[in-house]
Structure formats: structure tokens, C-alpha cells
Amino acid sequence: MTKTAACNLILLGPPGAGKGTQARMLEEKFGLVQLSTGDLLRAAVAAGTEAGKQAKSVMEAGGLVSDEIVIAILRDRLAEPDCAAGVILDGFPRTPVQAAALDDLMGTIDSAINAAISLEVDDAAMVERVAGRYTCAGCGEGYHDSFKTPATAGACDKCGGTEFKRRADDNAETVSERLAAYHAQTAPLIAFYDDKGILQRVDAMGDIDVIATELGTIVQKIVA
Ligand code: AMP
């Protein structure tokens, strides 16, 4: 693992762009912490917290959970000590209100966002990408019905686990709603971060490892 100075990144992109996959690779390589508001919300739903109860039906429909709930969840997680080395925000901010709240939150911990990286993809390919994906229930390794199946059918390449899971919202109908929410509420943030001078665009339609190398080069320049 490379030793890093504090580095805070945002990964922007529609569902299926590869934010989670790339965030996990950057986490491993640079010792940053992946903060996925989707993961935090799914944990809240599973734990049956008040926030989770309110978020559940919105998530199932592919809409956006209220700014209030998401900002509160992110604020709590950012306050944990492991985030001090730097975070990769995956799925946050998703609205202008969240982007403004993030600036405030970063200010309160005397930190800042170093780069917002837009993973640029063709929408048309995203439904197939998302609807076919699943993960190992044990270690979280990602797979896909068409693009990446385990070397031995039914066993995880990484941990050997035999249980796999699919997200309830990874179906063609909900993905369309999630793409619509992305374009209506989140895509405008690309211009917001461009205006701040911290936007980087990366073509995310190609090979996962090639994209990872490109992202690694961006991060390396920040932490150097
Ligand atoms: P994700 O795992 O990022 O695809 O998020 C899954 C679902 O969680 C989304 O479709 C939303 O319903 C909800 N969600 C995750 N992050 C946010 C956010 N920053 N703002 C609002 N809703 C969110």
C-alpha cells in the first residue's frame, strides 16, 4: 500500500458506472476509506433504524432518499477517526443541497475535496451492467452474469464462499428510475465541480484495470 497525504475524492457517475468497484480498488491501493451512502443506507435498512425505515421504500423505487437523512448519515460516518487519512465518496453528493452540505462538513473538520472524478459512460449500457451484477455474500467481491462469472461456477474466486447476493434495486425497471434521478439531480454537479476547478473526467466504458490505472494516476498526483 502506498503511504498517502490526506486526499478526499468524489466519484460521480450513474448507477453501473463502476464507482463502487473503482472506489474499492483505490481504497486498497492508497489506504483511503470508501464511503458509500448506498451501503450506509442499506445497513440502516437492515438494522431497522428510523432512517432506514424512511429510506427503504424510496430506495426500492429507485428515487433519492431525503437530503436530511443522507447528510446526517454521512456526517456521522465522516466523524469516525479512520476517515482522517482521506475518503472516496461513492454516491454522495447526489444533489446540490448535499454538495453544499459537504463543503460545510469538510470545513468543520478543516479539510477539503481534492478532486471530483466523473466516470463517463453510455447510459444505454448501464441497464445491462446493473441488472446482471451480484456480489459474494462473504467478501463482497463483485461479479456479473455476462461480464465476470466466477472461475469455478458457484464459488467466489477471492474467498471460496458459495453464497452470493443481488441488490433488490438492481433490476431493469428500478435502474431506469435511478438513471433518471441521476440525470435530473446529480449530473448538474459535474458543472458545479468544474466551476470549482477540481473536476476530472474519465472514460469509464473500457477495461476495469485500465480505468483503475487512470484513476490511480489522478490520485497519485494529489497525494504526491
Ligand atoms: P447506490 O448504492 O449508490 O446505487 O444507492 C442506492 C440507493 O440509495 C439510491 O438509488 C438511493 O435511493 C439511495 N441513495 C444512496 N446515496 C444517496 C444520496 N447521496 N442521496 C439520496 N439517496 C441516496
Side-chain angles (χ1 to χ4, degrees):
M1 190 190 293
T2 313
K3 176 96 182 92
T4 63
C7 166
N8 298 299
L9 303 174
I10 295 169
L11 292 186
L12 289 168
K19 300 185 298 294
T21 302
Q22 294 297 338
R24 278 189 291 279
M25 291 168 94
L26 288 172
E27 182 173 56
E28 225 166 87
K29 184 160 184 204
F30 292 98
L32 305 172
V33 174
Q34 175 194 14
L35 289 192
S36 155
T37 41
D39 285 350
L40 294 171
L41 287 165
R42 281 184 284 280
V45 171
T49 65
E50 197 45 51
K53 283 181 197 153
Q54 290 182 43
K56 189 170 187 282
S57 57
V58 180
M59 292 172 76
E60 281 169 356
L64 291 187
V65 175
S66 76
D67 288 329
E68 199 187 356
I69 289 178
V70 183
I71 291 166
I73 281 186
L74 186 86
R75 181 187 298 121
D76 290 350
R77 181 66 186 89
L78 260 184
E80 289 176 31
D82 62 331
C83 293
V87 295
I88 310 158
L89 293 167
D90 157 10
F92 186 97
R94 261 174 155 102
T95 66
V97 171
Q98 293 179 19
L102 179 61
D103 280 348
D104 289 348
L105 280 176
M106 284 285 151
T108 59
I109 56 171
D110 213 12
S111 198
I113 298 295
N114 302 95
I117 303 174
S118 169
L119 299 180
E120 314 244 306
V121 289
D122 297 337
D123 255 30
M126 293 306 107
V127 175
E128 190 194 4
R129 265 205 203 179
V130 174
R133 69 187 182 182
Y134 59 99
T135 53
C136 169
C139 71
E141 180 71 358
Y143 295 97
H144 192 280
D145 292 328
S146 311
F147 310 131
K148 187 190 165 196
T149 52
T152 304
C156 175
D157 296 345
K158 212 170 176 184
C159 74
T162 53
E163 276 188 42
F164 296 87
K165 57 181 185 183
R166 284 177 198 265
R167 278 171 46 176
D169 60 348
D170 277 353
N171 57 73
E173 196 182 310
T174 311
V175 177
S176 300
E177 292 301 323
R178 289 160 61 199
L179 281 169
Y182 174 79
H183 286 292
Q185 289 159 283
T186 310
L189 297 182
I190 294 174
F192 175 81
Y193 288 110
D194 202 8
D195 287 347
K196 282 179 176 280
I198 58 168
L199 182 75
Q200 306 256 9
R201 295 177 189 271
V202 170
D203 176 356
M205 283 306 291
D207 184 80
I208 288 176
D209 292 323
V210 174
I211 300 162
T213 302
E214 203 171 325
L215 293 181
T217 305
I218 292 172
V219 176
Q220 191 61 55
K221 281 188 191 145
I222 296 169
V223 301

